[in-house]
């Protein structure tokens, strides 16, 4: 049936009934909902027929681009054959077992066991339960504390929100749960002062050792971090950082958990961010690029030590109705096939990653751009009031949001994280699209410079 509703109709209905994620409800109530109706490659269209270049791949997730017939076919086939069966009580379906096997060929050495969930938040929540269970079975039940970082995003469920290092996430419902601690995030430009990058990377990692010693290693269960912090503003750490974090975790027998929800499936130029940064975590979570967002699916990967320990505990009192959902598993398998067949991981590392970063580096000539950071198909431009002193814009000045809106007005979707403009395009983005993105962004930056009278 042809739907004849207009943008105004959708906005009115939306304001009346729909509670949005990470949005001020007042904007929705006043009819400012953007109604997105179609996607193809790296482009999306709104309900007024306006085209946008999607610099965010949806929400850091549409790695293979929109409109892939192969994924639609995989869904249709699995729907017809078996739309649902669970993995509870000794059952499986071929799609979920095949996906677990396929993932074991892609993850770092030893991470061969997979527990499926439907979202990154559930995956990280699951990690909190599994890791505490692991230590209990290891005879160390006091090891319960999780250490994460400021500016981290790990999800919106209770435990995942406690893992986050974003003050507004904690402020909403009165703080974190017990047994969550945070250390500083490794952002050299913002926090490094006069230190060189490598030295700062080591210092930022050594904050973990200090915190473990303060809390007592006998109380610390795990450290969790995104290889590159995404929603916190695309913070790629100095190369000294992750190996030092790994050394400290091993020294105190603290499990190392990599949250690969954004970094997984090619985004940093390897299948997983851990591989890009040369570490082997004990546990990893993944979501988003696992299915390129076509259906909700996520996973927790565990190494042999973790898996064998929790297997020794008998009946596992954990699971979700949709763990390993066959249709989501089928689309994830087909998505991984596309990434592998089209060489998208190598493409990020050797082609579009370098091209994106070279192109964006030219924008640092702007008086408002203090730093370009990121790696592979993850990038950010830090907007700054005074380049010489690195004086930042305040939240009230809102340079980030001003520039983001200027990008939207030019048909480019970007994210503003604080006073940074963040990009995470599909891995199929072309050079011509990167040129278009940079042109629109340069223009939006110019408008922002004029608005804040920086010339
Ligand atoms: N870990 C990381 C690193 C994420 O980026 C999650 C976990 C949670 O995944 P789910 O599937 O439960 O959303 C995420 C999600 C933003 C933004 O502000 C980013 C995410 C979610 C919402 C907003 O860019 N990433």
């Amino acid at each position: 049936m042809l739907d004849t509703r207009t943008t105004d109709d959708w906005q009115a209905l939306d304001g009346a009934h729909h509670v949005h994620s990470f949005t001020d409800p007042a904007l929705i109530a006043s009819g400012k909902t953007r109604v997105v109706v179609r996607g193809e490659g790296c482009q999306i269209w709104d309900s007024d027929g306006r085209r946008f270049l999607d610099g965010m791949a949806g929400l850091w997730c549409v790695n293979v681009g929109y409109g892939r017939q192969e994924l639609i076919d995989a869904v249709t086939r699995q729907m017809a054959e078996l739309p649902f069966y669970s993995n509870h009580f000794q059952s499986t379906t071929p799609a979920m077992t095949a996906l677990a096997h396929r993932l074991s060929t892609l993850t770092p050495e030893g991470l061969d066991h997979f527990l499926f969930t439907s979202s990154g938040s559930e995956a990280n929540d699951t990690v909190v339960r599994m890791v505490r269970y692991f230590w209990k079975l290891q005879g160390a039940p006091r090891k319960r504390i999780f250490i994460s970082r400021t500016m981290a995003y790990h999800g919106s469920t209770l435990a995942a929100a406690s893992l986050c290092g974003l003050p507004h996430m904690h402020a909403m419902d009165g703080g974190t749960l017990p047994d969550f601690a945070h250390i500083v995030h490794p952002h050299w430009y913002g926090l490094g002062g006069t230190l060189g990058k490598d030295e700062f990377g080591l210092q930022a990692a050594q904050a973990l050792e200090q915190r473990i010693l303060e809390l007592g290693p006998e109380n610390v269960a795990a450290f969790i971090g995104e290889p590159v912090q995404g929603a916190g503003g695309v913070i790629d750490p100095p190369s000294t950082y992750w190996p030092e974090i790994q050394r400290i975790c091993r020294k105190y027998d603290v499990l190392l958990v990599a949250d690969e929800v954004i970094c997984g499936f090619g985004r940093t130029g390897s299948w997983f961010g851990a591989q890009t940064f040369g570490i082997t975590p004990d546990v990893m979570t993944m979501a988003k690029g696992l299915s390129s967002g076509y259906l909700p699916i996520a996973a927790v990967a565990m190494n042999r030590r973790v898996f064998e320990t929790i297997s020794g505990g008998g009946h596992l009192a954990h699971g979700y109705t949709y763990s390993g959902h066959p249709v989501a598993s089928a689309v994830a398998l087909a998505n991984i096939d596309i990434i592998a067949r089209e060489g998208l991981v190598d493409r990020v590392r050797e082609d579009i990653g370098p091209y994106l970063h070279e192109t964006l580096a030219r924008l640092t000539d702007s008086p408002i751009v203090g730093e370009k950071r990121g790696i592979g198909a993850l990038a950010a431009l830090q907007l700054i009031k005074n380049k010489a002193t690195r004086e930042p814009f305040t939240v009230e000045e809102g340079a980030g949001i001003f520039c983001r809106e200027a990008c939207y007005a030019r048909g480019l979707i970007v994210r503003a994280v604080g006073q940074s403009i963040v990009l995470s395009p599909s891995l199929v983005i072309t050079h011509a699209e990167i040129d278009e993105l940079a042109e629109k962004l340069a223009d939006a930056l110019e408008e922002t410079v004029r608005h804040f009278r920086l010339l």
Side-chain angles (χ1 to χ4, degrees):
M1 196 182 73
L2 187 66
D3 200 323
T4 55
R5 277 177 273 211
T6 64
T7 301
D8 286 347
D9 296 337
W10 286 121
Q11 288 171 333
L13 284 175
D14 200 63
H17 301 293
H18 183 190
V19 183
H20 285 239
S21 305
F22 290 106
T23 303
D24 180 349
L27 291 171
I28 303 303
S30 63
K32 299 244 168 62
T33 308
R34 267 188 298 279
V35 186
V36 179
V37 295
R38 193 164 76 78
E40 187 65 43
C42 295
Q43 325 278 339
I44 57 169
W45 283 263
D46 73 8
S47 49
D48 293 326
R50 276 195 71 200
R51 179 184 77 91
F52 292 84
L53 176 59
D54 182 5
M56 281 306 296
L59 200 54
W60 324 76
C61 57
V62 188
N63 287 16
V64 299
Y66 298 98
R68 291 289 194 141
Q69 191 58 44
E70 207 174 319
L71 299 190
I72 300 160
D73 292 344
V75 168
T76 312
R77 263 197 314 274
Q78 185 63 49
M79 279 279 184
E81 209 169 285
L82 183 69
F84 175 76
Y85 205 77
S86 91
N87 73 351
H88 293 213
F89 322 130
Q90 284 173 256
S91 301
T92 192
T93 62
M96 58 180 94
T97 298
L99 180 59
H101 171 251
R102 186 75 200 267
L103 288 171
S104 74
T105 66
L106 304 173
T107 45
E109 185 62 29
L111 285 142
D112 289 339
H113 302 275
F114 299 87
L115 184 159
F116 292 112
T117 72
S118 301
S119 71
S121 301
E122 282 175 347
N124 286 327
D125 236 72
T126 297
V127 166
V128 175
R129 286 199 88 201
M130 289 303 140
V131 166
R132 288 178 176 166
Y133 183 44
F134 164 84
W135 285 120
K136 182 180 146 198
L137 292 169
Q138 287 271 327
R142 283 172 59 199
K143 273 173 106 62
R144 289 180 59 79
I145 299 175
F146 271 74
I147 303 179
S148 58
R149 299 172 297 174
T150 47
M151 299 309 283
Y153 187 79
H154 295 294
S156 284
T157 53
L158 272 173
S162 293
L163 292 172
C164 289
L166 298 162
H168 60 275
M169 293 292 293
H170 300 155
M172 196 176 113
D173 53 347
T176 65
L177 297 174
D179 297 327
F180 290 88
H182 298 83
I183 59 168
V184 71
H185 58 288
H187 182 206
W188 171 77
Y189 184 83
L191 304 171
T194 56
L195 291 179
K197 260 192 179 172
D198 286 352
E199 205 185 343
F200 171 74
L202 283 177
Q203 266 199 17
Q206 282 153 8
L208 176 61
E209 185 155 26
Q210 270 169 36
R211 186 55 60 89
I212 292 173
L213 292 172
E214 281 161 24
L215 296 165
E218 69 282 7
N219 298 315
V220 181
F223 172 79
I224 182 169
E226 306 152 71
V228 177
Q229 287 178 266
V234 179
I235 297 158
D236 57 316
S239 60
T240 48
Y241 180 80
W242 275 113
E244 181 67 0
I245 289 279
Q246 176 165 277
R247 184 191 68 75
I248 294 164
C249 286
R250 301 281 188 262
K251 180 171 172 193
Y252 296 100
D253 206 8
V254 164
L255 293 187
L256 176 55
V257 184
D259 178 340
E260 298 270 2
V261 167
I262 284 178
C263 293
F265 301 95
R267 192 151 285 287
T268 69
S270 310
W271 277 94
F272 293 96
Q275 293 153 334
T276 297
F277 290 96
I279 54 164
T280 309
D282 300 292
V283 175
M284 278 179 16
T285 52
M286 58 192 82
K288 296 192 188 271
L290 168 56
S291 63
S292 284
Y294 276 59
L295 281 174
I297 182 162
V300 178
M302 315 170 199
N303 68 10
R304 195 168 305 121
R305 181 182 179 214
V306 174
F307 172 70
E308 284 177 359
T309 303
I310 65 170
S311 296
H315 184 80
L316 188 70
H318 186 91
Y320 306 95
T321 302
Y322 300 125
S323 289
H325 191 288
V327 184
S329 295
V331 86
L333 277 166
N335 170 64
I336 291 170
D337 281 344
I338 291 177
I339 297 175
R341 193 182 60 236
E342 297 184 1
L344 296 182
V345 178
D346 293 345
R347 181 166 194 268
V348 170
R349 189 178 58 252
E350 290 161 13
D351 179 7
I352 60 129
Y355 189 70
L356 176 69
H357 284 276
E358 276 160 33
T359 310
L360 293 176
R362 288 192 213 108
L363 304 185
T364 59
D365 290 344
S366 164
I368 204 172
V369 179
E371 181 198 25
K372 174 203 72 68
R373 52 178 188 266
I375 183 169
L378 280 172
L381 297 179
Q382 176 92 42
L383 306 187
I384 200 98
K385 225 174 183 170
N386 182 325
K387 269 177 139 166
T389 61
R390 295 190 185 176
E391 184 192 351
F393 283 101
T394 61
V395 176
E396 293 69 37
E397 285 166 323
I401 290 190
F402 183 92
C403 186
R404 180 194 71 190
E405 294 302 313
C407 288
Y408 282 160
R410 289 160 176 80
L412 170 66
I413 308 252
V414 300
R415 269 273 279 119
V417 175
Q419 309 313 316
S420 292
I421 294 296
V422 166
L423 294 161
S424 169
S426 291
L427 314 187
V428 297
I429 193 168
T430 62
H431 284 225
E433 285 169 327
I434 291 174
D435 292 342
E436 179 190 340
L437 181 157
E439 241 168 70
K440 289 181 164 157
L441 184 51
D443 212 36
L445 284 166
E446 247 179 63
E447 189 184 336
T448 313
V449 166
R450 280 198 304 278
H451 179 82
F452 287 94
R453 298 178 203 287
L454 291 188
L455 277 181

